[in-house]
């Protein structure tokens, strides 16, 4: 048994955490869903819907991973923690500095 093949790849783990954030934003009514997030920020909905449901042909290079810009929008616009997205460490959202 090859232990490493049984573990999800870092990319898969990041993708799962990104969709956890999207689900959380939707549950808190900050967005209506993936569709709104993609349309408002100029992302290919088919790509992200395919990543979420794993129905898109993920062997295509274009659909294999999340774009850096997508993660940037989650961090900048919705205050998602990059440490949590990339490493699963800490809180899902950044703490805002006190004004």
């Amino acid at each position: 048994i090859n232990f490493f093949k049984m573990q999800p790849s870092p990319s898969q783990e990041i993708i799962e955490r990104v969709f956890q954030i999207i689900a959380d934003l939707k549950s808190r009514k900050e967005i209506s869903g993936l569709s709104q997030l993609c349309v408002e920020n100029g992302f290919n909905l088919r790509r992200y819907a395919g990543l979420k449901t794993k129905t898109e042909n993920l062997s295509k290079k274009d659909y294999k991973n999340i774009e850096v810009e997508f993660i940037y929008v989650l961090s900048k616009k919705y205050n998602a923690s990059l440490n949590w997205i990339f490493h699963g460490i800490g809180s899902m959202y950044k703490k805002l500095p006190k004004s």
Side-chain angles (χ1 to χ4, degrees), residues 15 47 51 57-66:
I15 290 167
R47 173 189 193 150
L51 278 170
N57 180 357
L58 297 181
S59 65
K60 289 183 186 176
K61 186 179 176 201
D62 288 348
Y63 291 127
K64 196 170 183 179
N65 290 306
I66 290 180

Side-chain angles (χ1 to χ4, degrees), residues 5-79:
K5 289 204 179 219
M6 295 171 61
Q7 298 297 314
S9 74
S11 291
Q12 289 172 316
E13 290 176 353
I14 291 166
I15 290 167
E16 287 173 17
R17 285 191 289 270
V18 162
F19 285 111
Q20 286 175 31
I21 290 171
I22 292 168
D24 185 66
L25 291 170
K26 184 178 177 183
S27 75
R28 295 189 298 130
K29 301 189 184 323
E30 289 193 39
I31 60 172
S32 61
L34 179 62
S35 189
Q36 175 195 352
L37 184 66
C38 287
V39 169
E40 285 183 359
N41 295 287
F43 296 110
N44 182 325
L45 177 58
R46 181 176 171 188
R47 173 189 193 150
Y48 290 97
L51 278 170
K52 181 179 179 188
T53 61
K54 299 177 177 60
T55 55
E56 188 58 47
N57 180 357
L58 297 181
S59 65
K60 289 183 186 176
K61 186 179 176 201
D62 288 348
Y63 291 127
K64 196 170 183 179
N65 290 306
I66 290 180
E67 297 163 283
V68 171
E69 289 83 0
F70 194 90
I71 294 171
Y72 177 82
V73 165
L74 289 176
S75 178
K76 187 76 171 169
K77 192 171 183 179
Y78 298 101
N79 213 33

Side-chain angles (χ1 to χ4, degrees), residues 71-94:
I71 294 171
Y72 177 82
V73 165
L74 289 176
S75 178
K76 187 76 171 169
K77 192 171 183 179
Y78 298 101
N79 213 33
S81 164
L82 293 175
N83 206 25
W84 189 82
I85 291 173
F86 285 103
H87 307 288
I89 297 170
S91 174
M92 188 182 284
Y93 297 98
K94 297 179 277 191

